């Protein structure tokens, strides 16, 4: 194993002794002649020959003839996760939790499935409970740090980093958590240093390669970012985050055709993530591509995938407006406005939506509706207020039935 590790980077060498080792250790075990260290080695050999690694498609998985047993459910839960069937995996582990109600392992697997489904609130609750039950736990805590990072929970991430450092600072997960902590502080060089430490401890630690790529993107070091992301996809070609990172890196280098290729790969692997569809749509919108119809399709998919940042609806409205499809633009502006009202968000997007809807309703002679939008615009300061006043004056004249006359006609 040490010979296979080598320096940072991947090794294509294959252990050709696995079959003979398995035969020898299996015979020793059957005859009761194996010692504890022999059992440990036997476990390593079986892990290398794991059945799950061969199940690369759902068809292969379904073709397996396995006896009904709770261990089968553990296997299927893990296999579903690898095949990105996160809802199915979640269902398996939740079912197992009924039998093994105090299993920290099952709780962690449920958190993993929910993390993949981007249900961060539930993930945070599970990890908090895991830490209460097992205060010295380091395993899977790097995922918890990713959630805290995404939610910008600085104090909680600082506490977690301090905790794992005191527990075991030489675990790759600990280095990754500390790397996330420094990244959130904006200390990207220090962050990279800890991700590199994680990789020295485990060169196939996927998370560290991907997160290090993100740091290099922040540092505007695109060649290093591309290299880190490529190492990640070499380890696991199904890691959508690494493909997405490659897309971002090539976008930074103003190479939209390459970026689009990598965004497509990421969205194929994770079709329910709105951020990936938005990234692809923005790529289609670039000057070099300018494929607005394709961008619209991507934004529609994003809007249907729980777009938390509320980018898709606004962009759909703008694109339809640019293309002269005013009815569709009004539909999306109205939906975006309703969402902003529910989330109690103010800002330029709300002003833009109100102004467009006021103008559109006036052109459709829906004066009452237009007046509502104009009245709301009067609460703002700036050119939009004057525009709203002008629209209201125009509507009142139109409703009174008098034509708008030039005041010069009344001069003597």
């Amino acid at each position: 194993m040490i010979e296979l590790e080598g320096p940072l980077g991947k090794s294509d060498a294959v252990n050709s002794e696995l079959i003979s080792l398995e035969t020898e250790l299996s015979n020793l075990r059957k005859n009761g002649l194996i010692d504890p260290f022999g059992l440990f080695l036997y476990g390593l050999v079986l892990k290398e020959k794991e059945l799950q690694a061969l199940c690369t498609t759902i068809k292969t998985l379904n073709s397996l003839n396995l006896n009904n047993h709770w261990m089968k459910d553990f296997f299927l839960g893990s296999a579903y996760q690898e095949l990105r069937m996160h809802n199915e995996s979640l269902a398996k582990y939740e079912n197992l939790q009924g039998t093994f109600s105090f299993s920290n392992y099952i709780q962690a697997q449920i958190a993993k499935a929910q993390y993949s489904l981007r249900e961060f609130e539930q993930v945070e609750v599970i990890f908090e409970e895991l830490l209460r039950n097992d205060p010295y736990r380091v395993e899977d805590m790097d995922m918890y740090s990713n959630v805290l990072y995404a939610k910008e929970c600085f104090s909680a991430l600082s506490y977690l980093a301090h905790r794992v450092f005191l527990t075991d600072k030489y675990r790759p997960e600990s280095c990754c958590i500390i790397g996330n902590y420094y990244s959130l502080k904006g200390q990207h060089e220090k962050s990279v240093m800890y991700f590199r430490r994680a990789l020295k401890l485990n060169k196939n630690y996927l998370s560290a390669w991907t997160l290090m790529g993100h740091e290099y993107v922040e540092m505007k070091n695109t060649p290093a970012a591309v290299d880190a992301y490529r190492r990640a996809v070499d380890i696991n070609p199904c890691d959508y985050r690494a493909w997405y990172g490659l897309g971002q890196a090539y976008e930074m280098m103003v190479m939209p055709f390459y970026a689009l290729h990598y965004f497509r790969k990421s969205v194929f692997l994770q079709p329910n993530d709105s951020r990936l569809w938005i990234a692809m749509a923005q790529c289609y919108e670039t000057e070099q591509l300018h494929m607005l119809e394709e961008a619209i399709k991507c934004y529609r998919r994003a809007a249907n995938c729980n777009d938390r940042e509320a980018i898709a609806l606004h962009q759909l409205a703008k694109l339809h407006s640019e293309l002269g499809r005013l009815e569709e633009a009004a539909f999306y502006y109205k939906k975006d406005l309703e969402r902003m009202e529910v989330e109690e968000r103010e800002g330029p997007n709300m002003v833009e939506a109100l102004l467009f809807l006021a103008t559109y309703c006036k052109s459709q002679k829906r004066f009452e509706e237009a007046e509502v939008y104009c009245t709301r615009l009067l609460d703002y300061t700036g050119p939009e207020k004057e525009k709203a006043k002008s629209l209201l004056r125009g509507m009142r004249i139109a409703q009174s039935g008098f034509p708008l006359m030039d005041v010069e006609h009344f001069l003597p």
Side-chain angles (χ1 to χ4, degrees):
M1 282 178 72
I2 290 164
E3 282 174 7
L4 291 179
E5 285 293 310
L8 269 188
K10 68 176 189 132
S11 168
D12 294 323
V14 176
N15 190 345
S16 57
E17 305 297 329
L18 283 176
I19 295 168
S20 59
L21 278 168
E22 186 190 8
T23 308
E24 186 182 336
L25 292 166
S26 175
N27 288 334
L28 287 169
R29 183 168 175 256
K30 280 174 190 169
N31 298 324
L33 299 170
I34 198 163
D35 63 3
F37 185 66
L39 282 169
F40 169 70
L41 289 178
Y42 188 38
L44 287 180
V45 169
L46 292 175
K47 191 167 183 286
E48 286 292 309
K49 295 188 71 191
E50 203 176 62
L51 175 64
Q52 188 184 311
L54 302 172
C55 298
T56 52
T57 65
I58 185 63
K59 190 179 175 184
T60 311
L61 187 64
N62 290 337
S63 69
L64 296 176
N65 185 19
L66 301 170
N67 293 329
N68 280 330
H69 188 275
W70 49 260
M71 200 60 216
K72 176 188 173 182
D73 288 338
F74 274 103
F75 170 74
L76 288 174
S78 180
Y80 285 147
Q81 263 187 3
E82 286 301 309
L83 292 169
R84 303 176 304 286
M85 297 167 67
H86 305 301
N87 286 310
E88 291 83 350
S89 175
L90 186 60
K92 282 288 174 198
Y93 284 121
E94 283 176 343
N95 185 44
L96 282 164
Q97 203 172 30
T99 311
F100 305 95
S101 51
F102 299 107
S103 168
N104 287 345
Y105 171 79
I106 291 173
Q107 265 196 306
Q109 298 314 303
I110 288 171
K112 271 186 189 176
Q114 289 184 325
Y115 177 79
S116 299
L117 294 165
R118 294 183 60 74
E119 294 170 359
F120 292 159
E121 299 297 330
Q122 293 95 315
V123 175
E124 194 175 359
V125 169
I126 292 171
F127 276 119
E128 281 170 2
E129 193 181 336
L130 270 174
L131 276 176
R132 278 195 298 273
N133 298 337
D134 184 2
Y136 299 103
R137 186 182 181 89
V138 176
E139 193 179 2
D140 305 313
M141 285 298 133
D142 52 333
M143 188 181 294
Y144 181 34
S145 79
N146 291 342
V147 172
L148 295 175
Y149 183 94
K151 293 182 73 183
E152 296 184 4
C153 300
F154 185 81
S155 56
L157 183 53
S158 170
Y159 175 69
L160 180 66
H162 185 69
R163 194 170 184 160
V164 295
F165 182 81
L166 292 176
T167 303
D168 188 350
K169 62 182 178 183
Y170 295 114
R171 284 280 291 273
E173 294 94 331
S174 301
C175 294
C176 230
I177 292 163
I178 297 165
N180 269 342
Y181 164 72
Y182 280 118
S183 178
L184 194 58
K185 278 185 82 177
Q187 296 182 21
H188 302 297
E189 289 84 359
K190 259 194 171 178
S191 179
V192 165
M193 184 180 80
Y194 275 96
F195 291 135
R196 291 193 75 80
R197 276 188 193 175
L199 290 163
K200 280 180 182 173
L201 294 163
N202 178 4
K203 73 178 178 69
N204 290 327
Y205 190 34
L206 184 66
S207 245
W209 282 119
T210 307
L211 292 170
M212 191 161 74
H214 295 346
E215 292 310 298
Y216 281 129
V217 166
E218 289 295 325
M219 292 159 70
K220 304 285 188 288
N221 186 348
T222 39
V226 167
D227 182 57
Y229 291 134
R230 287 202 186 282
R231 298 292 183 97
V233 295
D234 281 341
I235 295 163
N236 183 2
C238 295
D239 180 28
Y240 79 92
R241 290 165 304 177
W243 291 115
Y244 174 62
L246 278 168
Q248 282 187 308
Y250 279 100
E251 202 171 33
M252 280 174 69
M253 292 190 278
V254 198
M255 298 168 78
F257 288 97
Y258 281 95
L260 190 61
H261 168 73
Y262 294 120
F263 286 142
R264 276 182 181 152
K265 277 189 173 288
S266 70
V267 91
F268 172 76
L269 294 167
Q270 190 80 353
N272 296 321
D273 193 328
S274 62
R275 296 168 308 160
L276 310 184
W277 288 109
I278 287 167
M280 201 152 81
Q282 287 169 343
C283 213
Y284 279 124
E285 282 185 276
T286 55
E287 214 175 298
Q288 294 100 313
L289 296 177
H290 202 67
M291 296 165 71
L292 300 186
E293 293 297 340
E294 296 302 318
I296 284 170
K297 286 177 193 172
C298 292
Y299 281 128
R300 276 192 192 130
R301 286 295 297 264
N304 293 331
C305 292
N306 188 18
D307 171 26
R308 293 176 189 195
E309 286 81 22
I311 295 167
L313 287 175
H314 182 71
Q315 289 301 116
L316 280 167
K318 279 185 81 167
L319 283 174
H320 281 298
S321 176
E322 279 176 37
L323 294 166
R325 300 173 191 160
L326 302 184
E327 193 178 341
E328 289 95 331
F331 171 78
Y332 286 112
Y333 270 124
K334 198 167 184 181
K335 281 189 82 169
D336 193 30
L337 187 63
E338 286 165 3
R339 180 164 175 166
M340 285 187 276
E341 285 165 352
V342 169
E343 294 173 4
E344 296 179 348
R345 279 191 293 118
E346 294 280 336
N349 286 7
M350 183 170 272
V351 172
E352 190 182 317
L354 289 168
L355 201 52
F356 178 89
L357 288 167
T359 311
Y360 175 74
C361 290
K362 184 196 168 203
S363 70
Q364 298 294 306
K365 296 192 168 34
R366 284 152 46 189
F367 297 127
E368 280 184 30
E369 205 177 328
E371 271 191 43
V372 171
Y373 296 127
C374 285
T375 308
R376 287 180 65 179
L377 281 167
L378 294 175
D379 295 334
Y380 292 90
T381 54
E384 59 273 6
K385 184 175 183 176
E386 295 308 312
K387 178 72 175 167
K389 282 181 182 176
S390 171
L391 285 167
L392 282 167
R393 276 197 300 271
M395 283 188 286
R396 279 165 195 159
I397 290 162
Q399 282 172 293
S400 67
F402 291 110
L404 196 62
M405 291 184 187
D406 193 332
V407 287
E408 284 181 9
H409 289 186
F410 295 99
L411 293 172

